[in-house]
Amino acid sequence: MTKQSILVVDDHKEITELIYHYLVEFGFDVVTKNNPREVFAAVEQQKPDLVILDIMMPGMDGIEVCKELRKTSNLPILFLSSRKDDVDKVLALGVGGDDYITKPFSPRELVARVQAHLRRNSLLLPLVQQQPASLKFENMEIDPDTHIVTAYGNTINLSAKEFDLLFQLASYPNRLFNSEQLFEIIWGGDSLGDLRTVMVHLSTLRRKIEKDPANPAFISTIRGVGYKFIGQPQGQD
């Protein structure tokens, strides 16, 4: 069985070495980088299954790295930070991060988060592949084969989790999902995390797909109840 590969990026060598030993012990192949600008070549050459990325790095911080990666890649990105400020967490998730862990962290929590995201990705991929037909609505098309979303004729660049959320909601138009259900479906029922992650990802998703996020045409919030995709499916391929 092929080992899953993790790319760990932190400007502190002692941190990358510590995480390296944690993950290797659990059977992962691990590549470490201390220079954030080396990430892009490493992703291209090593093709990791997940990236662990520190936020505070000199020269190019983790937020900038994530933005660049999201232009070409949907692989899971797990942020590390020594800051517990919710603003940083919202920013990290808003640029396409899949999870956020504050330092100091326990080895078990880190490994559990990594395993949960890898497991979730492996489960979602075959599910998407089983549905070759695009989802078509007025002013929107969602292609699960290519992960390409078009809204109002424009191609929208979404992170993996943003796409998964949109695809889940659009697969069941006009059906309500609460935050707990969406968190369980997209992040995994046994994933360690915060339900605010759902809110942050949906807020970012709306900014990308809606002409007026304050008056959404695609994803509606029913206050105190949940979220639903608005629209009637059109003819499918």
Side-chain angles (χ1 to χ4, degrees), residues 137-174:
F137 303 87
E138 184 178 2
N139 297 319
M140 177 174 282
E141 182 172 350
I142 305 167
D143 188 337
D145 284 338
T146 61
H147 274 214
I148 291 176
V149 174
T150 55
Y152 300 105
N154 299 315
T155 300
I156 310 298
N157 183 32
L158 300 181
S159 72
K161 289 295 187 289
E162 289 164 0
F163 182 91
D164 294 341
L165 271 172
L166 178 61
F167 189 76
Q168 174 66 30
L169 290 167
S171 294
Y172 302 92
N174 303 303

PDB file of all heavy atoms in Angstrom, residues 137-174:
ATOM      1  N   PHE A 137     -27.949  24.852 -13.209  1.00  0.00           N
ATOM      2  CA  PHE A 137     -29.024  25.706 -12.726  1.00  0.00           C
ATOM      3  C   PHE A 137     -28.978  27.003 -13.519  1.00  0.00           C
ATOM      4  O   PHE A 137     -28.024  27.260 -14.252  1.00  0.00           O
ATOM      5  CB  PHE A 137     -28.844  26.013 -11.235  1.00  0.00           C
ATOM      6  CG  PHE A 137     -28.775  24.795 -10.354  1.00  0.00           C
ATOM      7  CD1 PHE A 137     -27.555  24.163 -10.127  1.00  0.00           C
ATOM      8  CD2 PHE A 137     -29.920  24.282  -9.766  1.00  0.00           C
ATOM      9  CE1 PHE A 137     -27.483  23.039  -9.318  1.00  0.00           C
ATOM     10  CE2 PHE A 137     -29.861  23.154  -8.962  1.00  0.00           C
ATOM     11  CZ  PHE A 137     -28.647  22.532  -8.744  1.00  0.00           C
ATOM     12  N   GLU A 138     -29.995  27.815 -13.352  1.00  0.00           N
ATOM     13  CA  GLU A 138     -29.954  29.119 -13.986  1.00  0.00           C
ATOM     14  C   GLU A 138     -28.774  29.908 -13.441  1.00  0.00           C
ATOM     15  O   GLU A 138     -28.629  30.079 -12.229  1.00  0.00           O
ATOM     16  CB  GLU A 138     -31.260  29.882 -13.732  1.00  0.00           C
ATOM     17  CG  GLU A 138     -31.320  31.220 -14.448  1.00  0.00           C
ATOM     18  CD  GLU A 138     -32.642  31.941 -14.230  1.00  0.00           C
ATOM     19  OE1 GLU A 138     -33.503  31.410 -13.483  1.00  0.00           O
ATOM     20  OE2 GLU A 138     -32.797  33.035 -14.792  1.00  0.00           O
ATOM     21  N   ASN A 139     -27.896  30.325 -14.315  1.00  0.00           N
ATOM     22  CA  ASN A 139     -26.716  31.134 -13.977  1.00  0.00           C
ATOM     23  C   ASN A 139     -25.609  30.373 -13.249  1.00  0.00           C
ATOM     24  O   ASN A 139     -24.663  30.974 -12.771  1.00  0.00           O
ATOM     25  CB  ASN A 139     -27.101  32.366 -13.139  1.00  0.00           C
ATOM     26  CG  ASN A 139     -28.007  33.311 -13.895  1.00  0.00           C
ATOM     27  OD1 ASN A 139     -27.812  33.552 -15.080  1.00  0.00           O
ATOM     28  ND2 ASN A 139     -29.028  33.828 -13.217  1.00  0.00           N
ATOM     29  N   MET A 140     -25.703  29.041 -13.171  1.00  0.00           N
ATOM     30  CA  MET A 140     -24.628  28.289 -12.533  1.00  0.00           C
ATOM     31  C   MET A 140     -24.534  26.879 -13.101  1.00  0.00           C
ATOM     32  O   MET A 140     -25.541  26.232 -13.381  1.00  0.00           O
ATOM     33  CB  MET A 140     -24.807  28.191 -11.017  1.00  0.00           C
ATOM     34  CG  MET A 140     -23.715  27.337 -10.339  1.00  0.00           C
ATOM     35  SD  MET A 140     -23.793  27.355  -8.544  1.00  0.00           S
ATOM     36  CE  MET A 140     -23.059  28.948  -8.224  1.00  0.00           C
ATOM     37  N   GLU A 141     -23.267  26.413 -13.244  1.00  0.00           N
ATOM     38  CA  GLU A 141     -23.002  25.017 -13.600  1.00  0.00           C
ATOM     39  C   GLU A 141     -21.856  24.514 -12.738  1.00  0.00           C
ATOM     40  O   GLU A 141     -20.859  25.211 -12.550  1.00  0.00           O
ATOM     41  CB  GLU A 141     -22.656  24.876 -15.086  1.00  0.00           C
ATOM     42  CG  GLU A 141     -22.424  23.427 -15.497  1.00  0.00           C
ATOM     43  CD  GLU A 141     -22.271  23.246 -17.001  1.00  0.00           C
ATOM     44  OE1 GLU A 141     -22.532  24.215 -17.749  1.00  0.00           O
ATOM     45  OE2 GLU A 141     -21.888  22.132 -17.429  1.00  0.00           O
ATOM     46  N   ILE A 142     -22.008  23.304 -12.220  1.00  0.00           N
ATOM     47  CA  ILE A 142     -21.014  22.697 -11.333  1.00  0.00           C
ATOM     48  C   ILE A 142     -20.595  21.368 -11.944  1.00  0.00           C
ATOM     49  O   ILE A 142     -21.417  20.464 -12.100  1.00  0.00           O
ATOM     50  CB  ILE A 142     -21.602  22.447  -9.928  1.00  0.00           C
ATOM     51  CG1 ILE A 142     -22.175  23.744  -9.359  1.00  0.00           C
ATOM     52  CG2 ILE A 142     -20.530  21.880  -8.991  1.00  0.00           C
ATOM     53  CD1 ILE A 142     -23.043  23.538  -8.128  1.00  0.00           C
ATOM     54  N   ASP A 143     -19.326  21.241 -12.310  1.00  0.00           N
ATOM     55  CA  ASP A 143     -18.826  20.031 -12.944  1.00  0.00           C
ATOM     56  C   ASP A 143     -17.982  19.241 -11.950  1.00  0.00           C
ATOM     57  O   ASP A 143     -16.867  19.649 -11.619  1.00  0.00           O
ATOM     58  CB  ASP A 143     -17.981  20.387 -14.173  1.00  0.00           C
ATOM     59  CG  ASP A 143     -17.601  19.156 -14.999  1.00  0.00           C
ATOM     60  OD1 ASP A 143     -17.595  18.037 -14.436  1.00  0.00           O
ATOM     61  OD2 ASP A 143     -17.323  19.307 -16.198  1.00  0.00           O
ATOM     62  N   PRO A 144     -18.476  18.097 -11.445  1.00  0.00           N
ATOM     63  CA  PRO A 144     -17.723  17.330 -10.450  1.00  0.00           C
ATOM     64  C   PRO A 144     -16.492  16.634 -11.014  1.00  0.00           C
ATOM     65  O   PRO A 144     -15.591  16.264 -10.262  1.00  0.00           O
ATOM     66  CB  PRO A 144     -18.748  16.312  -9.939  1.00  0.00           C
ATOM     67  CG  PRO A 144     -19.702  16.156 -11.067  1.00  0.00           C
ATOM     68  CD  PRO A 144     -19.787  17.496 -11.730  1.00  0.00           C
ATOM     69  N   ASP A 145     -16.445  16.427 -12.318  1.00  0.00           N
ATOM     70  CA  ASP A 145     -15.281  15.778 -12.924  1.00  0.00           C
ATOM     71  C   ASP A 145     -14.058  16.680 -12.899  1.00  0.00           C
ATOM     72  O   ASP A 145     -12.946  16.242 -12.614  1.00  0.00           O
ATOM     73  CB  ASP A 145     -15.587  15.373 -14.372  1.00  0.00           C
ATOM     74  CG  ASP A 145     -16.472  14.143 -14.450  1.00  0.00           C
ATOM     75  OD1 ASP A 145     -16.512  13.380 -13.468  1.00  0.00           O
ATOM     76  OD2 ASP A 145     -17.130  13.954 -15.486  1.00  0.00           O
ATOM     77  N   THR A 146     -14.272  17.954 -13.211  1.00  0.00           N
ATOM     78  CA  THR A 146     -13.153  18.897 -13.313  1.00  0.00           C
ATOM     79  C   THR A 146     -13.068  19.862 -12.129  1.00  0.00           C
ATOM     80  O   THR A 146     -12.092  20.593 -12.014  1.00  0.00           O
ATOM     81  CB  THR A 146     -13.289  19.737 -14.593  1.00  0.00           C
ATOM     82  OG1 THR A 146     -14.515  20.488 -14.528  1.00  0.00           O
ATOM     83  CG2 THR A 146     -13.320  18.846 -15.827  1.00  0.00           C
ATOM     84  N   HIS A 147     -14.094  19.836 -11.264  1.00  0.00           N
ATOM     85  CA  HIS A 147     -14.194  20.792 -10.158  1.00  0.00           C
ATOM     86  C   HIS A 147     -14.275  22.224 -10.676  1.00  0.00           C
ATOM     87  O   HIS A 147     -13.897  23.168  -9.967  1.00  0.00           O
ATOM     88  CB  HIS A 147     -13.033  20.647  -9.172  1.00  0.00           C
ATOM     89  CG  HIS A 147     -13.282  19.599  -8.130  1.00  0.00           C
ATOM     90  ND1 HIS A 147     -12.819  19.699  -6.836  1.00  0.00           N
ATOM     91  CD2 HIS A 147     -13.963  18.432  -8.179  1.00  0.00           C
ATOM     92  CE1 HIS A 147     -13.200  18.637  -6.151  1.00  0.00           C
ATOM     93  NE2 HIS A 147     -13.888  17.857  -6.941  1.00  0.00           N
ATOM     94  N   ILE A 148     -14.807  22.397 -11.883  1.00  0.00           N
ATOM     95  CA  ILE A 148     -14.989  23.734 -12.436  1.00  0.00           C
ATOM     96  C   ILE A 148     -16.409  24.202 -12.141  1.00  0.00           C
ATOM     97  O   ILE A 148     -17.384  23.491 -12.385  1.00  0.00           O
ATOM     98  CB  ILE A 148     -14.724  23.751 -13.957  1.00  0.00           C
ATOM     99  CG1 ILE A 148     -13.237  23.529 -14.234  1.00  0.00           C
ATOM    100  CG2 ILE A 148     -15.187  25.078 -14.570  1.00  0.00           C
ATOM    101  CD1 ILE A 148     -12.888  23.430 -15.703  1.00  0.00           C
ATOM    102  N   VAL A 149     -16.504  25.413 -11.601  1.00  0.00           N
ATOM    103  CA  VAL A 149     -17.791  26.034 -11.322  1.00  0.00           C
ATOM    104  C   VAL A 149     -17.880  27.326 -12.129  1.00  0.00           C
ATOM    105  O   VAL A 149     -16.945  28.132 -12.119  1.00  0.00           O
ATOM    106  CB  VAL A 149     -17.938  26.347  -9.815  1.00  0.00           C
ATOM    107  CG1 VAL A 149     -19.232  27.126  -9.556  1.00  0.00           C
ATOM    108  CG2 VAL A 149     -17.913  25.075  -8.997  1.00  0.00           C
ATOM    109  N   THR A 150     -18.981  27.492 -12.830  1.00  0.00           N
ATOM    110  CA  THR A 150     -19.218  28.751 -13.527  1.00  0.00           C
ATOM    111  C   THR A 150     -20.474  29.389 -12.957  1.00  0.00           C
ATOM    112  O   THR A 150     -21.486  28.719 -12.740  1.00  0.00           O
ATOM    113  CB  THR A 150     -19.393  28.557 -15.047  1.00  0.00           C
ATOM    114  OG1 THR A 150     -20.438  27.604 -15.293  1.00  0.00           O
ATOM    115  CG2 THR A 150     -18.108  28.039 -15.674  1.00  0.00           C
ATOM    116  N   ALA A 151     -20.397  30.688 -12.695  1.00  0.00           N
ATOM    117  CA  ALA A 151     -21.545  31.443 -12.200  1.00  0.00           C
ATOM    118  C   ALA A 151     -21.659  32.721 -12.999  1.00  0.00           C
ATOM    119  O   ALA A 151     -20.668  33.462 -13.124  1.00  0.00           O
ATOM    120  CB  ALA A 151     -21.382  31.767 -10.715  1.00  0.00           C
ATOM    121  N   TYR A 152     -22.829  32.945 -13.579  1.00  0.00           N
ATOM    122  CA  TYR A 152     -23.057  34.112 -14.432  1.00  0.00           C
ATOM    123  C   TYR A 152     -22.019  34.187 -15.555  1.00  0.00           C
ATOM    124  O   TYR A 152     -21.565  35.258 -15.943  1.00  0.00           O
ATOM    125  CB  TYR A 152     -23.027  35.399 -13.600  1.00  0.00           C
ATOM    126  CG  TYR A 152     -24.070  35.439 -12.516  1.00  0.00           C
ATOM    127  CD1 TYR A 152     -23.708  35.238 -11.180  1.00  0.00           C
ATOM    128  CD2 TYR A 152     -25.422  35.661 -12.815  1.00  0.00           C
ATOM    129  CE1 TYR A 152     -24.672  35.257 -10.171  1.00  0.00           C
ATOM    130  CE2 TYR A 152     -26.376  35.677 -11.812  1.00  0.00           C
ATOM    131  CZ  TYR A 152     -26.002  35.482 -10.494  1.00  0.00           C
ATOM    132  OH  TYR A 152     -26.952  35.501  -9.490  1.00  0.00           O
ATOM    133  N   GLY A 153     -21.606  33.023 -16.054  1.00  0.00           N
ATOM    134  CA  GLY A 153     -20.667  32.969 -17.164  1.00  0.00           C
ATOM    135  C   GLY A 153     -19.209  33.074 -16.778  1.00  0.00           C
ATOM    136  O   GLY A 153     -18.335  32.997 -17.650  1.00  0.00           O
ATOM    137  N   ASN A 154     -18.916  33.250 -15.485  1.00  0.00           N
ATOM    138  CA  ASN A 154     -17.535  33.385 -15.022  1.00  0.00           C
ATOM    139  C   ASN A 154     -17.075  32.103 -14.340  1.00  0.00           C
ATOM    140  O   ASN A 154     -17.827  31.491 -13.573  1.00  0.00           O
ATOM    141  CB  ASN A 154     -17.414  34.547 -14.033  1.00  0.00           C
ATOM    142  CG  ASN A 154     -17.792  35.876 -14.651  1.00  0.00           C
ATOM    143  OD1 ASN A 154     -17.379  36.184 -15.764  1.00  0.00           O
ATOM    144  ND2 ASN A 154     -18.598  36.656 -13.943  1.00  0.00           N
ATOM    145  N   THR A 155     -15.831  31.700 -14.615  1.00  0.00           N
ATOM    146  CA  THR A 155     -15.260  30.548 -13.929  1.00  0.00           C
ATOM    147  C   THR A 155     -14.821  30.962 -12.527  1.00  0.00           C
ATOM    148  O   THR A 155     -14.119  31.956 -12.358  1.00  0.00           O
ATOM    149  CB  THR A 155     -14.046  30.000 -14.700  1.00  0.00           C
ATOM    150  OG1 THR A 155     -14.470  29.608 -16.016  1.00  0.00           O
ATOM    151  CG2 THR A 155     -13.451  28.789 -13.982  1.00  0.00           C
ATOM    152  N   ILE A 156     -15.250  30.189 -11.522  1.00  0.00           N
ATOM    153  CA  ILE A 156     -14.994  30.527 -10.129  1.00  0.00           C
ATOM    154  C   ILE A 156     -13.936  29.587  -9.568  1.00  0.00           C
ATOM    155  O   ILE A 156     -14.046  28.366  -9.694  1.00  0.00           O
ATOM    156  CB  ILE A 156     -16.282  30.402  -9.280  1.00  0.00           C
ATOM    157  CG1 ILE A 156     -17.446  31.148  -9.947  1.00  0.00           C
ATOM    158  CG2 ILE A 156     -16.035  30.909  -7.870  1.00  0.00           C
ATOM    159  CD1 ILE A 156     -17.246  32.628 -10.108  1.00  0.00           C
ATOM    160  N   ASN A 157     -12.910  30.158  -8.948  1.00  0.00           N
ATOM    161  CA  ASN A 157     -11.843  29.371  -8.337  1.00  0.00           C
ATOM    162  C   ASN A 157     -12.214  29.058  -6.888  1.00  0.00           C
ATOM    163  O   ASN A 157     -12.245  29.946  -6.042  1.00  0.00           O
ATOM    164  CB  ASN A 157     -10.523  30.143  -8.395  1.00  0.00           C
ATOM    165  CG  ASN A 157      -9.369  29.337  -7.843  1.00  0.00           C
ATOM    166  OD1 ASN A 157      -9.348  28.116  -7.945  1.00  0.00           O
ATOM    167  ND2 ASN A 157      -8.403  30.018  -7.252  1.00  0.00           N
ATOM    168  N   LEU A 158     -12.502  27.787  -6.588  1.00  0.00           N
ATOM    169  CA  LEU A 158     -12.905  27.368  -5.256  1.00  0.00           C
ATOM    170  C   LEU A 158     -11.874  26.425  -4.649  1.00  0.00           C
ATOM    171  O   LEU A 158     -11.239  25.653  -5.359  1.00  0.00           O
ATOM    172  CB  LEU A 158     -14.258  26.641  -5.299  1.00  0.00           C
ATOM    173  CG  LEU A 158     -15.465  27.418  -5.832  1.00  0.00           C
ATOM    174  CD1 LEU A 158     -16.705  26.544  -5.772  1.00  0.00           C
ATOM    175  CD2 LEU A 158     -15.684  28.702  -5.042  1.00  0.00           C
ATOM    176  N   SER A 159     -11.744  26.496  -3.336  1.00  0.00           N
ATOM    177  CA  SER A 159     -10.925  25.504  -2.636  1.00  0.00           C
ATOM    178  C   SER A 159     -11.677  24.176  -2.617  1.00  0.00           C
ATOM    179  O   SER A 159     -12.867  24.106  -2.961  1.00  0.00           O
ATOM    180  CB  SER A 159     -10.650  25.959  -1.203  1.00  0.00           C
ATOM    181  OG  SER A 159     -11.824  25.851  -0.405  1.00  0.00           O
ATOM    182  N   ALA A 160     -10.991  23.118  -2.200  1.00  0.00           N
ATOM    183  CA  ALA A 160     -11.617  21.792  -2.177  1.00  0.00           C
ATOM    184  C   ALA A 160     -12.846  21.780  -1.279  1.00  0.00           C
ATOM    185  O   ALA A 160     -13.905  21.252  -1.650  1.00  0.00           O
ATOM    186  CB  ALA A 160     -10.607  20.743  -1.712  1.00  0.00           C
ATOM    187  N   LYS A 161     -12.729  22.347  -0.076  1.00  0.00           N
ATOM    188  CA  LYS A 161     -13.854  22.338   0.856  1.00  0.00           C
ATOM    189  C   LYS A 161     -14.988  23.239   0.371  1.00  0.00           C
ATOM    190  O   LYS A 161     -16.167  22.923   0.563  1.00  0.00           O
ATOM    191  CB  LYS A 161     -13.380  22.754   2.253  1.00  0.00           C
ATOM    192  CG  LYS A 161     -12.508  21.701   2.929  1.00  0.00           C
ATOM    193  CD  LYS A 161     -13.301  20.428   3.205  1.00  0.00           C
ATOM    194  CE  LYS A 161     -12.507  19.419   4.029  1.00  0.00           C
ATOM    195  NZ  LYS A 161     -11.402  18.795   3.302  1.00  0.00           N
ATOM    196  N   GLU A 162     -14.661  24.363  -0.234  1.00  0.00           N
ATOM    197  CA  GLU A 162     -15.708  25.224  -0.795  1.00  0.00           C
ATOM    198  C   GLU A 162     -16.476  24.498  -1.886  1.00  0.00           C
ATOM    199  O   GLU A 162     -17.710  24.552  -1.946  1.00  0.00           O
ATOM    200  CB  GLU A 162     -15.085  26.513  -1.344  1.00  0.00           C
ATOM    201  CG  GLU A 162     -14.568  27.458  -0.278  1.00  0.00           C
ATOM    202  CD  GLU A 162     -13.633  28.512  -0.816  1.00  0.00           C
ATOM    203  OE1 GLU A 162     -13.362  28.520  -2.043  1.00  0.00           O
ATOM    204  OE2 GLU A 162     -13.156  29.326  -0.012  1.00  0.00           O
ATOM    205  N   PHE A 163     -15.733  23.785  -2.756  1.00  0.00           N
ATOM    206  CA  PHE A 163     -16.410  23.019  -3.801  1.00  0.00           C
ATOM    207  C   PHE A 163     -17.283  21.929  -3.196  1.00  0.00           C
ATOM    208  O   PHE A 163     -18.420  21.721  -3.624  1.00  0.00           O
ATOM    209  CB  PHE A 163     -15.385  22.388  -4.759  1.00  0.00           C
ATOM    210  CG  PHE A 163     -16.044  21.620  -5.876  1.00  0.00           C
ATOM    211  CD1 PHE A 163     -16.356  22.246  -7.072  1.00  0.00           C
ATOM    212  CD2 PHE A 163     -16.365  20.274  -5.733  1.00  0.00           C
ATOM    213  CE1 PHE A 163     -16.984  21.547  -8.104  1.00  0.00           C
ATOM    214  CE2 PHE A 163     -16.994  19.570  -6.742  1.00  0.00           C
ATOM    215  CZ  PHE A 163     -17.306  20.211  -7.928  1.00  0.00           C
ATOM    216  N   ASP A 164     -16.754  21.215  -2.204  1.00  0.00           N
ATOM    217  CA  ASP A 164     -17.522  20.135  -1.578  1.00  0.00           C
ATOM    218  C   ASP A 164     -18.810  20.660  -0.957  1.00  0.00           C
ATOM    219  O   ASP A 164     -19.865  20.030  -1.062  1.00  0.00           O
ATOM    220  CB  ASP A 164     -16.674  19.431  -0.515  1.00  0.00           C
ATOM    221  CG  ASP A 164     -15.486  18.687  -1.101  1.00  0.00           C
ATOM    222  OD1 ASP A 164     -15.507  18.402  -2.315  1.00  0.00           O
ATOM    223  OD2 ASP A 164     -14.535  18.401  -0.351  1.00  0.00           O
ATOM    224  N   LEU A 165     -18.727  21.813  -0.293  1.00  0.00           N
ATOM    225  CA  LEU A 165     -19.925  22.413   0.299  1.00  0.00           C
ATOM    226  C   LEU A 165     -20.951  22.779  -0.772  1.00  0.00           C
ATOM    227  O   LEU A 165     -22.141  22.469  -0.639  1.00  0.00           O
ATOM    228  CB  LEU A 165     -19.541  23.670   1.085  1.00  0.00           C
ATOM    229  CG  LEU A 165     -19.161  23.508   2.552  1.00  0.00           C
ATOM    230  CD1 LEU A 165     -18.634  24.829   3.099  1.00  0.00           C
ATOM    231  CD2 LEU A 165     -20.336  23.023   3.381  1.00  0.00           C
ATOM    232  N   LEU A 166     -20.483  23.444  -1.812  1.00  0.00           N
ATOM    233  CA  LEU A 166     -21.388  23.845  -2.886  1.00  0.00           C
ATOM    234  C   LEU A 166     -22.010  22.629  -3.556  1.00  0.00           C
ATOM    235  O   LEU A 166     -23.229  22.583  -3.799  1.00  0.00           O
ATOM    236  CB  LEU A 166     -20.632  24.692  -3.921  1.00  0.00           C
ATOM    237  CG  LEU A 166     -21.447  25.144  -5.140  1.00  0.00           C
ATOM    238  CD1 LEU A 166     -22.623  26.012  -4.714  1.00  0.00           C
ATOM    239  CD2 LEU A 166     -20.553  25.882  -6.127  1.00  0.00           C
ATOM    240  N   PHE A 167     -21.188  21.622  -3.842  1.00  0.00           N
ATOM    241  CA  PHE A 167     -21.688  20.428  -4.520  1.00  0.00           C
ATOM    242  C   PHE A 167     -22.701  19.689  -3.654  1.00  0.00           C
ATOM    243  O   PHE A 167     -23.726  19.204  -4.149  1.00  0.00           O
ATOM    244  CB  PHE A 167     -20.521  19.504  -4.880  1.00  0.00           C
ATOM    245  CG  PHE A 167     -20.913  18.362  -5.772  1.00  0.00           C
ATOM    246  CD1 PHE A 167     -21.135  18.555  -7.119  1.00  0.00           C
ATOM    247  CD2 PHE A 167     -21.066  17.085  -5.264  1.00  0.00           C
ATOM    248  CE1 PHE A 167     -21.508  17.510  -7.951  1.00  0.00           C
ATOM    249  CE2 PHE A 167     -21.439  16.029  -6.081  1.00  0.00           C
ATOM    250  CZ  PHE A 167     -21.654  16.245  -7.428  1.00  0.00           C
ATOM    251  N   GLN A 168     -22.429  19.618  -2.346  1.00  0.00           N
ATOM    252  CA  GLN A 168     -23.359  18.953  -1.431  1.00  0.00           C
ATOM    253  C   GLN A 168     -24.706  19.667  -1.408  1.00  0.00           C
ATOM    254  O   GLN A 168     -25.769  19.040  -1.536  1.00  0.00           O
ATOM    255  CB  GLN A 168     -22.757  18.912  -0.024  1.00  0.00           C
ATOM    256  CG  GLN A 168     -23.698  18.366   1.047  1.00  0.00           C
ATOM    257  CD  GLN A 168     -24.042  16.901   0.851  1.00  0.00           C
ATOM    258  OE1 GLN A 168     -23.239  16.142   0.306  1.00  0.00           O
ATOM    259  NE2 GLN A 168     -25.229  16.512   1.298  1.00  0.00           N
ATOM    260  N   LEU A 169     -24.684  20.975  -1.242  1.00  0.00           N
ATOM    261  CA  LEU A 169     -25.931  21.731  -1.187  1.00  0.00           C
ATOM    262  C   LEU A 169     -26.677  21.687  -2.514  1.00  0.00           C
ATOM    263  O   LEU A 169     -27.898  21.493  -2.555  1.00  0.00           O
ATOM    264  CB  LEU A 169     -25.638  23.186  -0.798  1.00  0.00           C
ATOM    265  CG  LEU A 169     -25.178  23.419   0.642  1.00  0.00           C
ATOM    266  CD1 LEU A 169     -24.622  24.832   0.797  1.00  0.00           C
ATOM    267  CD2 LEU A 169     -26.314  23.184   1.626  1.00  0.00           C
ATOM    268  N   ALA A 170     -25.941  21.853  -3.627  1.00  0.00           N
ATOM    269  CA  ALA A 170     -26.582  21.888  -4.943  1.00  0.00           C
ATOM    270  C   ALA A 170     -27.105  20.520  -5.373  1.00  0.00           C
ATOM    271  O   ALA A 170     -27.997  20.435  -6.215  1.00  0.00           O
ATOM    272  CB  ALA A 170     -25.604  22.428  -5.989  1.00  0.00           C
ATOM    273  N   SER A 171     -26.548  19.450  -4.805  1.00  0.00           N
ATOM    274  CA  SER A 171     -27.034  18.107  -5.135  1.00  0.00           C
ATOM    275  C   SER A 171     -28.426  17.862  -4.566  1.00  0.00           C
ATOM    276  O   SER A 171     -29.131  16.957  -5.004  1.00  0.00           O
ATOM    277  CB  SER A 171     -26.062  17.049  -4.589  1.00  0.00           C
ATOM    278  OG  SER A 171     -24.813  17.121  -5.248  1.00  0.00           O
ATOM    279  N   TYR A 172     -28.791  18.672  -3.567  1.00  0.00           N
ATOM    280  CA  TYR A 172     -30.112  18.548  -2.937  1.00  0.00           C
ATOM    281  C   TYR A 172     -30.753  19.934  -2.871  1.00  0.00           C
ATOM    282  O   TYR A 172     -30.935  20.501  -1.797  1.00  0.00           O
ATOM    283  CB  TYR A 172     -29.990  17.960  -1.530  1.00  0.00           C
ATOM    284  CG  TYR A 172     -29.327  16.602  -1.510  1.00  0.00           C
ATOM    285  CD1 TYR A 172     -27.948  16.492  -1.327  1.00  0.00           C
ATOM    286  CD2 TYR A 172     -30.069  15.439  -1.688  1.00  0.00           C
ATOM    287  CE1 TYR A 172     -27.325  15.245  -1.314  1.00  0.00           C
ATOM    288  CE2 TYR A 172     -29.463  14.189  -1.673  1.00  0.00           C
ATOM    289  CZ  TYR A 172     -28.090  14.105  -1.487  1.00  0.00           C
ATOM    290  OH  TYR A 172     -27.480  12.874  -1.480  1.00  0.00           O
ATOM    291  N   PRO A 173     -31.104  20.497  -4.045  1.00  0.00           N
ATOM    292  CA  PRO A 173     -31.627  21.871  -4.062  1.00  0.00           C
ATOM    293  C   PRO A 173     -32.879  22.023  -3.206  1.00  0.00           C
ATOM    294  O   PRO A 173     -33.727  21.131  -3.162  1.00  0.00           O
ATOM    295  CB  PRO A 173     -31.907  22.116  -5.546  1.00  0.00           C
ATOM    296  CG  PRO A 173     -31.985  20.761  -6.172  1.00  0.00           C
ATOM    297  CD  PRO A 173     -31.075  19.903  -5.385  1.00  0.00           C
ATOM    298  N   ASN A 174     -32.927  23.155  -2.501  1.00  0.00           N
ATOM    299  CA  ASN A 174     -34.051  23.541  -1.653  1.00  0.00           C
ATOM    300  C   ASN A 174     -34.210  22.676  -0.404  1.00  0.00           C
ATOM    301  O   ASN A 174     -35.200  22.796   0.311  1.00  0.00           O
ATOM    302  CB  ASN A 174     -35.365  23.545  -2.461  1.00  0.00           C
ATOM    303  CG  ASN A 174     -35.275  24.478  -3.658  1.00  0.00           C
ATOM    304  OD1 ASN A 174     -35.004  25.655  -3.520  1.00  0.00           O
ATOM    305  ND2 ASN A 174     -35.479  23.918  -4.857  1.00  0.00           N
TER     306      ASN A 174
END
